[in-house]
Amino acid sequence: MKPGLQLRLNQQLALTPQLQQAIRLLQLSQLELETELRQITETNPLLEFTDDSEEPTLDVDGNPSEPAADAEPPAENATETKTDDWESDPSREAESYGPSGGGTVNGSGGGEEDDFEPQNAAPEGLREHLVWQLNLESLSPREQAIALAIIDALDDDGYLHEGLASVLAALPPQHGVDEAEIDAVRRRLQRLDPTGVASLDLRDCLLAQLQQLEPDTPQLALACGIVEIGLDLLAKNDLPRLASKLKSPIEDIADASALIRSLDPRPGARLDPTPTEYVTPDAYAWRDGTRWRVSLSPDSQPRLGLNQHYCSLIKQASREDAAYLRGRMQEARWLLKSLQSRAETILKVAEAIVRRQSAFLDYGPEAMRPLVLREVAEQVGMHESTISRVTTRKYLHTPRGTFEFKYFFSSGVSTDTGGSASATAIQAMLRKLVDEEDTSRPLSDKALAEHLNERGIQVARRTVAKYREQLRIPSSNERQRIG
């Protein structure tokens, strides 16, 4: 074949670096955003964190308070809505609450003292706590190795659910350890703090805790008897049958039951090293008369602005330095524009959510309406993927609590009236039905489905079972209580 050259024209969509940056910033949470911006400011001298706005204040109900009369209102990032009409009231726009617009983006600021963050010690977990106590025990090296193998096999609640065989398999065969020796060491671990750790099951855990109590504890022997042969009756609160089975007065059975309920069924859970995570709302929604008002939180994004000193040096710098500073200036302006676009997008999505779910804000979870990403995307004129990024790890503060944006999205189930009910509303109804049921005759999944059908919600028994499991509601047999 003879070689040749050809020219072809085609069109393709390419993401500019600015658009890629805007998309990346949109999906970040507040903490991730601030970390990202601090890294950017370290490489761009024309960007700096500013400290020109006040922290937001909340009233006694947890709602953002109105700005002072002499303060300049940040009207452009706040909106308000009626329950039945989303049109804003221009006369009240100046009272809105939200971050200021312009050349800076508000959030948690920084200073020189922010360069040094306190380093907290790593939280102590169950394994570290037990190993520390183990070093204080007078154990032989052989027993020490067995104890460490047991500790490594514990689950998060402190139980040895896999049994002694799993510990035996983890030990070197040349040690010649048998299950009886492992069990002896395990019982020594049960006496450590927290008491009852390394138990094989709930009965073993409760007995270990009861055995550590003072011998003169009232109804101690009876409590041990209940744990050994009557835990299933205790779970149903069937005190008469327990009294008959143990041949004791029902008053003593009640006292022994109270003693058992004071024990910890999950001794290892309180030493969970997972740190508690706190979230800051990205937007606020609160009622003002007949209107629902929505605004961005001033802390939704870090305060970032241009460093005026370096900006003034551009005209005085040499050609090479001026070109470098102009490039950093362009990057800084792109970043500020992307941050402003991020704030506007979050606000638009929050508006659409509050508009759709105003009944939830008024009446609670049972009034939650079905909502999917496509509906919000059509309202704000964006793609569903953009809405998905906005609703991830973004939070809306309401009088009913702080919820992730995704909480307001759920599929729908058809009703007799031709409408639909959201899965969240159905779950709230299930929770209410279970809370109001007769504990001596709890409702089965079929009965719960019939109650929902009577309310016009067409839902099958298997769907009720799925929602019940998602709510972590036990089955009717496990919910039964007598007396």
Side-chain angles (χ1 to χ4, degrees), residues 435-468:
D435 291 341
E436 296 176 351
E437 70 182 0
D438 182 1
T439 55
S440 62
R441 301 179 62 185
L443 298 173
S444 63
D445 292 341
K446 182 178 179 181
L448 290 171
E450 292 174 352
H451 278 283
L452 292 175
N453 293 337
E454 292 173 359
R455 300 186 181 188
I457 299 175
Q458 300 301 319
V459 60
R461 183 201 61 80
R462 61 180 179 275
T463 305
V464 171
K466 181 183 71 172
Y467 289 159
R468 177 179 57 77

PDB file of all heavy atoms in Angstrom, residues 435-468:
ATOM      1  N   ASP A 435     -44.627   1.186  67.425  1.00  0.00           N
ATOM      2  CA  ASP A 435     -44.582   1.856  68.727  1.00  0.00           C
ATOM      3  C   ASP A 435     -45.930   1.822  69.432  1.00  0.00           C
ATOM      4  O   ASP A 435     -45.983   1.814  70.673  1.00  0.00           O
ATOM      5  CB  ASP A 435     -44.127   3.313  68.551  1.00  0.00           C
ATOM      6  CG  ASP A 435     -42.670   3.414  68.129  1.00  0.00           C
ATOM      7  OD1 ASP A 435     -41.937   2.427  68.314  1.00  0.00           O
ATOM      8  OD2 ASP A 435     -42.280   4.470  67.596  1.00  0.00           O
ATOM      9  N   GLU A 436     -47.018   1.803  68.667  1.00  0.00           N
ATOM     10  CA  GLU A 436     -48.355   1.843  69.259  1.00  0.00           C
ATOM     11  C   GLU A 436     -48.984   0.463  69.418  1.00  0.00           C
ATOM     12  O   GLU A 436     -50.100   0.349  69.925  1.00  0.00           O
ATOM     13  CB  GLU A 436     -49.270   2.715  68.386  1.00  0.00           C
ATOM     14  CG  GLU A 436     -48.850   4.175  68.326  1.00  0.00           C
ATOM     15  CD  GLU A 436     -49.718   4.989  67.373  1.00  0.00           C
ATOM     16  OE1 GLU A 436     -50.527   4.353  66.642  1.00  0.00           O
ATOM     17  OE2 GLU A 436     -49.582   6.220  67.356  1.00  0.00           O
ATOM     18  N   GLU A 437     -48.303  -0.600  69.014  1.00  0.00           N
ATOM     19  CA  GLU A 437     -48.891  -1.929  69.063  1.00  0.00           C
ATOM     20  C   GLU A 437     -48.958  -2.464  70.483  1.00  0.00           C
ATOM     21  O   GLU A 437     -48.260  -1.987  71.393  1.00  0.00           O
ATOM     22  CB  GLU A 437     -48.069  -2.886  68.196  1.00  0.00           C
ATOM     23  CG  GLU A 437     -46.706  -3.202  68.769  1.00  0.00           C
ATOM     24  CD  GLU A 437     -45.886  -4.118  67.882  1.00  0.00           C
ATOM     25  OE1 GLU A 437     -46.389  -4.512  66.810  1.00  0.00           O
ATOM     26  OE2 GLU A 437     -44.738  -4.418  68.244  1.00  0.00           O
ATOM     27  N   ASP A 438     -49.777  -3.479  70.668  1.00  0.00           N
ATOM     28  CA  ASP A 438     -49.876  -4.183  71.947  1.00  0.00           C
ATOM     29  C   ASP A 438     -48.689  -5.134  72.031  1.00  0.00           C
ATOM     30  O   ASP A 438     -48.576  -6.075  71.243  1.00  0.00           O
ATOM     31  CB  ASP A 438     -51.193  -4.959  72.008  1.00  0.00           C
ATOM     32  CG  ASP A 438     -51.386  -5.672  73.340  1.00  0.00           C
ATOM     33  OD1 ASP A 438     -50.507  -5.545  74.215  1.00  0.00           O
ATOM     34  OD2 ASP A 438     -52.410  -6.368  73.501  1.00  0.00           O
ATOM     35  N   THR A 439     -47.784  -4.889  72.985  1.00  0.00           N
ATOM     36  CA  THR A 439     -46.564  -5.695  73.047  1.00  0.00           C
ATOM     37  C   THR A 439     -46.841  -7.154  73.377  1.00  0.00           C
ATOM     38  O   THR A 439     -46.004  -8.016  73.096  1.00  0.00           O
ATOM     39  CB  THR A 439     -45.604  -5.109  74.093  1.00  0.00           C
ATOM     40  OG1 THR A 439     -46.280  -5.004  75.354  1.00  0.00           O
ATOM     41  CG2 THR A 439     -45.126  -3.734  73.665  1.00  0.00           C
ATOM     42  N   SER A 440     -47.997  -7.458  73.970  1.00  0.00           N
ATOM     43  CA  SER A 440     -48.315  -8.861  74.233  1.00  0.00           C
ATOM     44  C   SER A 440     -48.775  -9.575  72.969  1.00  0.00           C
ATOM     45  O   SER A 440     -48.691 -10.800  72.874  1.00  0.00           O
ATOM     46  CB  SER A 440     -49.413  -8.963  75.304  1.00  0.00           C
ATOM     47  OG  SER A 440     -50.612  -8.338  74.866  1.00  0.00           O
ATOM     48  N   ARG A 441     -49.234  -8.817  71.972  1.00  0.00           N
ATOM     49  CA  ARG A 441     -49.648  -9.377  70.685  1.00  0.00           C
ATOM     50  C   ARG A 441     -49.126  -8.477  69.565  1.00  0.00           C
ATOM     51  O   ARG A 441     -49.876  -7.741  68.935  1.00  0.00           O
ATOM     52  CB  ARG A 441     -51.166  -9.503  70.612  1.00  0.00           C
ATOM     53  CG  ARG A 441     -51.775 -10.386  71.691  1.00  0.00           C
ATOM     54  CD  ARG A 441     -53.282 -10.434  71.576  1.00  0.00           C
ATOM     55  NE  ARG A 441     -53.710 -11.001  70.298  1.00  0.00           N
ATOM     56  CZ  ARG A 441     -54.980 -11.064  69.893  1.00  0.00           C
ATOM     57  NH1 ARG A 441     -55.939 -10.564  70.670  1.00  0.00           N
ATOM     58  NH2 ARG A 441     -55.284 -11.589  68.739  1.00  0.00           N
ATOM     59  N   PRO A 442     -47.838  -8.502  69.311  1.00  0.00           N
ATOM     60  CA  PRO A 442     -47.252  -7.595  68.301  1.00  0.00           C
ATOM     61  C   PRO A 442     -47.753  -7.931  66.904  1.00  0.00           C
ATOM     62  O   PRO A 442     -48.162  -9.060  66.613  1.00  0.00           O
ATOM     63  CB  PRO A 442     -45.745  -7.854  68.432  1.00  0.00           C
ATOM     64  CG  PRO A 442     -45.634  -9.207  69.034  1.00  0.00           C
ATOM     65  CD  PRO A 442     -46.823  -9.369  69.927  1.00  0.00           C
ATOM     66  N   LEU A 443     -47.716  -6.922  66.034  1.00  0.00           N
ATOM     67  CA  LEU A 443     -48.206  -7.067  64.667  1.00  0.00           C
ATOM     68  C   LEU A 443     -47.187  -7.808  63.813  1.00  0.00           C
ATOM     69  O   LEU A 443     -45.994  -7.497  63.831  1.00  0.00           O
ATOM     70  CB  LEU A 443     -48.485  -5.687  64.070  1.00  0.00           C
ATOM     71  CG  LEU A 443     -49.556  -4.837  64.775  1.00  0.00           C
ATOM     72  CD1 LEU A 443     -49.582  -3.440  64.180  1.00  0.00           C
ATOM     73  CD2 LEU A 443     -50.918  -5.489  64.660  1.00  0.00           C
ATOM     74  N   SER A 444     -47.663  -8.769  63.060  1.00  0.00           N
ATOM     75  CA  SER A 444     -46.802  -9.461  62.113  1.00  0.00           C
ATOM     76  C   SER A 444     -46.616  -8.605  60.865  1.00  0.00           C
ATOM     77  O   SER A 444     -47.283  -7.574  60.684  1.00  0.00           O
ATOM     78  CB  SER A 444     -47.422 -10.814  61.735  1.00  0.00           C
ATOM     79  OG  SER A 444     -48.658 -10.615  61.075  1.00  0.00           O
ATOM     80  N   ASP A 445     -45.714  -9.030  59.982  1.00  0.00           N
ATOM     81  CA  ASP A 445     -45.494  -8.286  58.742  1.00  0.00           C
ATOM     82  C   ASP A 445     -46.764  -8.241  57.894  1.00  0.00           C
ATOM     83  O   ASP A 445     -47.061  -7.225  57.256  1.00  0.00           O
ATOM     84  CB  ASP A 445     -44.351  -8.931  57.948  1.00  0.00           C
ATOM     85  CG  ASP A 445     -43.009  -8.767  58.643  1.00  0.00           C
ATOM     86  OD1 ASP A 445     -42.905  -7.883  59.509  1.00  0.00           O
ATOM     87  OD2 ASP A 445     -42.078  -9.525  58.316  1.00  0.00           O
ATOM     88  N   LYS A 446     -47.511  -9.327  57.898  1.00  0.00           N
ATOM     89  CA  LYS A 446     -48.764  -9.361  57.144  1.00  0.00           C
ATOM     90  C   LYS A 446     -49.767  -8.381  57.727  1.00  0.00           C
ATOM     91  O   LYS A 446     -50.447  -7.657  56.989  1.00  0.00           O
ATOM     92  CB  LYS A 446     -49.333 -10.777  57.149  1.00  0.00           C
ATOM     93  CG  LYS A 446     -50.619 -10.915  56.350  1.00  0.00           C
ATOM     94  CD  LYS A 446     -51.125 -12.351  56.354  1.00  0.00           C
ATOM     95  CE  LYS A 446     -52.431 -12.466  55.552  1.00  0.00           C
ATOM     96  NZ  LYS A 446     -52.950 -13.853  55.568  1.00  0.00           N
ATOM     97  N   ALA A 447     -49.846  -8.324  59.062  1.00  0.00           N
ATOM     98  CA  ALA A 447     -50.775  -7.384  59.698  1.00  0.00           C
ATOM     99  C   ALA A 447     -50.359  -5.939  59.442  1.00  0.00           C
ATOM    100  O   ALA A 447     -51.206  -5.062  59.211  1.00  0.00           O
ATOM    101  CB  ALA A 447     -50.847  -7.664  61.197  1.00  0.00           C
ATOM    102  N   LEU A 448     -49.052  -5.683  59.464  1.00  0.00           N
ATOM    103  CA  LEU A 448     -48.578  -4.328  59.172  1.00  0.00           C
ATOM    104  C   LEU A 448     -48.915  -3.938  57.740  1.00  0.00           C
ATOM    105  O   LEU A 448     -49.318  -2.793  57.471  1.00  0.00           O
ATOM    106  CB  LEU A 448     -47.064  -4.250  59.391  1.00  0.00           C
ATOM    107  CG  LEU A 448     -46.577  -4.345  60.840  1.00  0.00           C
ATOM    108  CD1 LEU A 448     -45.060  -4.479  60.892  1.00  0.00           C
ATOM    109  CD2 LEU A 448     -47.020  -3.117  61.637  1.00  0.00           C
ATOM    110  N   ALA A 449     -48.768  -4.879  56.800  1.00  0.00           N
ATOM    111  CA  ALA A 449     -49.125  -4.599  55.407  1.00  0.00           C
ATOM    112  C   ALA A 449     -50.608  -4.303  55.270  1.00  0.00           C
ATOM    113  O   ALA A 449     -51.017  -3.408  54.516  1.00  0.00           O
ATOM    114  CB  ALA A 449     -48.728  -5.780  54.527  1.00  0.00           C
ATOM    115  N   GLU A 450     -51.459  -5.030  56.010  1.00  0.00           N
ATOM    116  CA  GLU A 450     -52.904  -4.783  55.957  1.00  0.00           C
ATOM    117  C   GLU A 450     -53.246  -3.405  56.505  1.00  0.00           C
ATOM    118  O   GLU A 450     -54.132  -2.720  55.967  1.00  0.00           O
ATOM    119  CB  GLU A 450     -53.637  -5.873  56.733  1.00  0.00           C
ATOM    120  CG  GLU A 450     -53.555  -7.255  56.079  1.00  0.00           C
ATOM    121  CD  GLU A 450     -54.156  -8.340  56.946  1.00  0.00           C
ATOM    122  OE1 GLU A 450     -54.502  -8.024  58.118  1.00  0.00           O
ATOM    123  OE2 GLU A 450     -54.280  -9.481  56.476  1.00  0.00           O
ATOM    124  N   HIS A 451     -52.578  -2.988  57.584  1.00  0.00           N
ATOM    125  CA  HIS A 451     -52.825  -1.642  58.127  1.00  0.00           C
ATOM    126  C   HIS A 451     -52.460  -0.574  57.104  1.00  0.00           C
ATOM    127  O   HIS A 451     -53.183   0.430  56.963  1.00  0.00           O
ATOM    128  CB  HIS A 451     -52.021  -1.444  59.407  1.00  0.00           C
ATOM    129  CG  HIS A 451     -52.665  -2.016  60.629  1.00  0.00           C
ATOM    130  ND1 HIS A 451     -53.710  -1.400  61.277  1.00  0.00           N
ATOM    131  CD2 HIS A 451     -52.416  -3.162  61.324  1.00  0.00           C
ATOM    132  CE1 HIS A 451     -54.071  -2.121  62.326  1.00  0.00           C
ATOM    133  NE2 HIS A 451     -53.298  -3.207  62.374  1.00  0.00           N
ATOM    134  N   LEU A 452     -51.358  -0.767  56.401  1.00  0.00           N
ATOM    135  CA  LEU A 452     -50.961   0.207  55.383  1.00  0.00           C
ATOM    136  C   LEU A 452     -51.927   0.183  54.204  1.00  0.00           C
ATOM    137  O   LEU A 452     -52.233   1.234  53.622  1.00  0.00           O
ATOM    138  CB  LEU A 452     -49.533  -0.088  54.911  1.00  0.00           C
ATOM    139  CG  LEU A 452     -48.420   0.147  55.943  1.00  0.00           C
ATOM    140  CD1 LEU A 452     -47.077  -0.302  55.400  1.00  0.00           C
ATOM    141  CD2 LEU A 452     -48.355   1.618  56.344  1.00  0.00           C
ATOM    142  N   ASN A 453     -52.411  -0.998  53.832  1.00  0.00           N
ATOM    143  CA  ASN A 453     -53.395  -1.085  52.747  1.00  0.00           C
ATOM    144  C   ASN A 453     -54.674  -0.356  53.106  1.00  0.00           C
ATOM    145  O   ASN A 453     -55.316   0.259  52.250  1.00  0.00           O
ATOM    146  CB  ASN A 453     -53.682  -2.552  52.422  1.00  0.00           C
ATOM    147  CG  ASN A 453     -52.484  -3.259  51.812  1.00  0.00           C
ATOM    148  OD1 ASN A 453     -51.606  -2.616  51.255  1.00  0.00           O
ATOM    149  ND2 ASN A 453     -52.445  -4.575  51.910  1.00  0.00           N
ATOM    150  N   GLU A 454     -55.066  -0.411  54.390  1.00  0.00           N
ATOM    151  CA  GLU A 454     -56.258   0.312  54.825  1.00  0.00           C
ATOM    152  C   GLU A 454     -56.074   1.814  54.697  1.00  0.00           C
ATOM    153  O   GLU A 454     -57.054   2.552  54.544  1.00  0.00           O
ATOM    154  CB  GLU A 454     -56.580  -0.059  56.270  1.00  0.00           C
ATOM    155  CG  GLU A 454     -57.045  -1.502  56.448  1.00  0.00           C
ATOM    156  CD  GLU A 454     -57.196  -1.872  57.914  1.00  0.00           C
ATOM    157  OE1 GLU A 454     -56.913  -0.992  58.770  1.00  0.00           O
ATOM    158  OE2 GLU A 454     -57.606  -3.010  58.199  1.00  0.00           O
ATOM    159  N   ARG A 455     -54.837   2.270  54.762  1.00  0.00           N
ATOM    160  CA  ARG A 455     -54.557   3.704  54.595  1.00  0.00           C
ATOM    161  C   ARG A 455     -54.368   4.084  53.135  1.00  0.00           C
ATOM    162  O   ARG A 455     -54.007   5.222  52.830  1.00  0.00           O
ATOM    163  CB  ARG A 455     -53.299   4.081  55.383  1.00  0.00           C
ATOM    164  CG  ARG A 455     -53.410   3.826  56.880  1.00  0.00           C
ATOM    165  CD  ARG A 455     -52.201   4.365  57.614  1.00  0.00           C
ATOM    166  NE  ARG A 455     -52.280   4.109  59.042  1.00  0.00           N
ATOM    167  CZ  ARG A 455     -51.442   4.591  59.948  1.00  0.00           C
ATOM    168  NH1 ARG A 455     -50.444   5.388  59.548  1.00  0.00           N
ATOM    169  NH2 ARG A 455     -51.574   4.310  61.225  1.00  0.00           N
ATOM    170  N   GLY A 456     -54.595   3.129  52.251  1.00  0.00           N
ATOM    171  CA  GLY A 456     -54.517   3.416  50.823  1.00  0.00           C
ATOM    172  C   GLY A 456     -53.162   3.206  50.203  1.00  0.00           C
ATOM    173  O   GLY A 456     -52.953   3.541  49.039  1.00  0.00           O
ATOM    174  N   ILE A 457     -52.216   2.627  50.952  1.00  0.00           N
ATOM    175  CA  ILE A 457     -50.863   2.406  50.439  1.00  0.00           C
ATOM    176  C   ILE A 457     -50.741   0.947  50.033  1.00  0.00           C
ATOM    177  O   ILE A 457     -50.835   0.048  50.873  1.00  0.00           O
ATOM    178  CB  ILE A 457     -49.804   2.765  51.495  1.00  0.00           C
ATOM    179  CG1 ILE A 457     -49.935   4.240  51.871  1.00  0.00           C
ATOM    180  CG2 ILE A 457     -48.404   2.473  50.984  1.00  0.00           C
ATOM    181  CD1 ILE A 457     -49.022   4.663  52.990  1.00  0.00           C
ATOM    182  N   GLN A 458     -50.559   0.709  48.747  1.00  0.00           N
ATOM    183  CA  GLN A 458     -50.466  -0.650  48.240  1.00  0.00           C
ATOM    184  C   GLN A 458     -49.036  -1.169  48.411  1.00  0.00           C
ATOM    185  O   GLN A 458     -48.141  -0.855  47.642  1.00  0.00           O
ATOM    186  CB  GLN A 458     -50.873  -0.686  46.756  1.00  0.00           C
ATOM    187  CG  GLN A 458     -52.292  -0.218  46.503  1.00  0.00           C
ATOM    188  CD  GLN A 458     -53.315  -1.069  47.260  1.00  0.00           C
ATOM    189  OE1 GLN A 458     -53.182  -2.281  47.332  1.00  0.00           O
ATOM    190  NE2 GLN A 458     -54.321  -0.419  47.812  1.00  0.00           N
ATOM    191  N   VAL A 459     -48.847  -1.955  49.456  1.00  0.00           N
ATOM    192  CA  VAL A 459     -47.528  -2.481  49.763  1.00  0.00           C
ATOM    193  C   VAL A 459     -47.668  -3.954  50.141  1.00  0.00           C
ATOM    194  O   VAL A 459     -48.624  -4.346  50.807  1.00  0.00           O
ATOM    195  CB  VAL A 459     -46.876  -1.677  50.915  1.00  0.00           C
ATOM    196  CG1 VAL A 459     -47.697  -1.735  52.175  1.00  0.00           C
ATOM    197  CG2 VAL A 459     -45.455  -2.135  51.160  1.00  0.00           C
ATOM    198  N   ALA A 460     -46.728  -4.779  49.686  1.00  0.00           N
ATOM    199  CA  ALA A 460     -46.766  -6.215  49.946  1.00  0.00           C
ATOM    200  C   ALA A 460     -46.073  -6.545  51.270  1.00  0.00           C
ATOM    201  O   ALA A 460     -45.323  -5.733  51.820  1.00  0.00           O
ATOM    202  CB  ALA A 460     -46.093  -6.969  48.803  1.00  0.00           C
ATOM    203  N   ARG A 461     -46.336  -7.749  51.757  1.00  0.00           N
ATOM    204  CA  ARG A 461     -45.738  -8.181  53.021  1.00  0.00           C
ATOM    205  C   ARG A 461     -44.217  -8.204  52.939  1.00  0.00           C
ATOM    206  O   ARG A 461     -43.526  -7.802  53.877  1.00  0.00           O
ATOM    207  CB  ARG A 461     -46.264  -9.577  53.382  1.00  0.00           C
ATOM    208  CG  ARG A 461     -45.747 -10.083  54.739  1.00  0.00           C
ATOM    209  CD  ARG A 461     -45.832 -11.576  54.831  1.00  0.00           C
ATOM    210  NE  ARG A 461     -45.027 -12.222  53.806  1.00  0.00           N
ATOM    211  CZ  ARG A 461     -43.711 -12.384  53.880  1.00  0.00           C
ATOM    212  NH1 ARG A 461     -43.042 -11.927  54.930  1.00  0.00           N
ATOM    213  NH2 ARG A 461     -43.046 -12.974  52.903  1.00  0.00           N
ATOM    214  N   ARG A 462     -43.673  -8.675  51.818  1.00  0.00           N
ATOM    215  CA  ARG A 462     -42.214  -8.729  51.699  1.00  0.00           C
ATOM    216  C   ARG A 462     -41.593  -7.331  51.701  1.00  0.00           C
ATOM    217  O   ARG A 462     -40.466  -7.144  52.158  1.00  0.00           O
ATOM    218  CB  ARG A 462     -41.821  -9.491  50.440  1.00  0.00           C
ATOM    219  CG  ARG A 462     -42.303  -8.884  49.141  1.00  0.00           C
ATOM    220  CD  ARG A 462     -41.858  -9.720  47.944  1.00  0.00           C
ATOM    221  NE  ARG A 462     -42.333  -9.175  46.676  1.00  0.00           N
ATOM    222  CZ  ARG A 462     -43.513  -9.421  46.148  1.00  0.00           C
ATOM    223  NH1 ARG A 462     -44.354 -10.229  46.788  1.00  0.00           N
ATOM    224  NH2 ARG A 462     -43.876  -8.894  44.993  1.00  0.00           N
ATOM    225  N   THR A 463     -42.335  -6.342  51.178  1.00  0.00           N
ATOM    226  CA  THR A 463     -41.837  -4.968  51.224  1.00  0.00           C
ATOM    227  C   THR A 463     -41.824  -4.455  52.656  1.00  0.00           C
ATOM    228  O   THR A 463     -40.881  -3.763  53.075  1.00  0.00           O
ATOM    229  CB  THR A 463     -42.705  -4.062  50.346  1.00  0.00           C
ATOM    230  OG1 THR A 463     -42.760  -4.588  49.019  1.00  0.00           O
ATOM    231  CG2 THR A 463     -42.146  -2.651  50.297  1.00  0.00           C
ATOM    232  N   VAL A 464     -42.857  -4.799  53.414  1.00  0.00           N
ATOM    233  CA  VAL A 464     -42.894  -4.417  54.830  1.00  0.00           C
ATOM    234  C   VAL A 464     -41.730  -5.053  55.570  1.00  0.00           C
ATOM    235  O   VAL A 464     -41.070  -4.407  56.397  1.00  0.00           O
ATOM    236  CB  VAL A 464     -44.238  -4.835  55.453  1.00  0.00           C
ATOM    237  CG1 VAL A 464     -44.204  -4.659  56.974  1.00  0.00           C
ATOM    238  CG2 VAL A 464     -45.384  -4.022  54.862  1.00  0.00           C
ATOM    239  N   ALA A 465     -41.457  -6.329  55.267  1.00  0.00           N
ATOM    240  CA  ALA A 465     -40.337  -7.011  55.927  1.00  0.00           C
ATOM    241  C   ALA A 465     -39.012  -6.319  55.589  1.00  0.00           C
ATOM    242  O   ALA A 465     -38.136  -6.172  56.448  1.00  0.00           O
ATOM    243  CB  ALA A 465     -40.300  -8.479  55.502  1.00  0.00           C
ATOM    244  N   LYS A 466     -38.857  -5.890  54.336  1.00  0.00           N
ATOM    245  CA  LYS A 466     -37.623  -5.203  53.939  1.00  0.00           C
ATOM    246  C   LYS A 466     -37.473  -3.877  54.681  1.00  0.00           C
ATOM    247  O   LYS A 466     -36.390  -3.575  55.218  1.00  0.00           O
ATOM    248  CB  LYS A 466     -37.628  -4.960  52.434  1.00  0.00           C
ATOM    249  CG  LYS A 466     -36.366  -4.261  51.920  1.00  0.00           C
ATOM    250  CD  LYS A 466     -36.460  -3.969  50.440  1.00  0.00           C
ATOM    251  CE  LYS A 466     -37.474  -2.861  50.156  1.00  0.00           C
ATOM    252  NZ  LYS A 466     -37.442  -2.436  48.735  1.00  0.00           N
ATOM    253  N   TYR A 467     -38.553  -3.083  54.741  1.00  0.00           N
ATOM    254  CA  TYR A 467     -38.483  -1.808  55.452  1.00  0.00           C
ATOM    255  C   TYR A 467     -38.256  -2.027  56.947  1.00  0.00           C
ATOM    256  O   TYR A 467     -37.536  -1.260  57.595  1.00  0.00           O
ATOM    257  CB  TYR A 467     -39.769  -1.014  55.228  1.00  0.00           C
ATOM    258  CG  TYR A 467     -39.913  -0.459  53.828  1.00  0.00           C
ATOM    259  CD1 TYR A 467     -41.162  -0.090  53.316  1.00  0.00           C
ATOM    260  CD2 TYR A 467     -38.816  -0.300  53.002  1.00  0.00           C
ATOM    261  CE1 TYR A 467     -41.299   0.422  52.033  1.00  0.00           C
ATOM    262  CE2 TYR A 467     -38.940   0.205  51.723  1.00  0.00           C
ATOM    263  CZ  TYR A 467     -40.182   0.566  51.248  1.00  0.00           C
ATOM    264  OH  TYR A 467     -40.306   1.070  49.982  1.00  0.00           O
ATOM    265  N   ARG A 468     -38.880  -3.053  57.518  1.00  0.00           N
ATOM    266  CA  ARG A 468     -38.700  -3.339  58.945  1.00  0.00           C
ATOM    267  C   ARG A 468     -37.242  -3.678  59.246  1.00  0.00           C
ATOM    268  O   ARG A 468     -36.689  -3.226  60.257  1.00  0.00           O
ATOM    269  CB  ARG A 468     -39.622  -4.481  59.360  1.00  0.00           C
ATOM    270  CG  ARG A 468     -39.455  -4.914  60.814  1.00  0.00           C
ATOM    271  CD  ARG A 468     -40.403  -6.019  61.180  1.00  0.00           C
ATOM    272  NE  ARG A 468     -40.246  -7.175  60.320  1.00  0.00           N
ATOM    273  CZ  ARG A 468     -39.256  -8.056  60.416  1.00  0.00           C
ATOM    274  NH1 ARG A 468     -38.309  -7.883  61.334  1.00  0.00           N
ATOM    275  NH2 ARG A 468     -39.190  -9.098  59.610  1.00  0.00           N
TER     276      ARG A 468
END
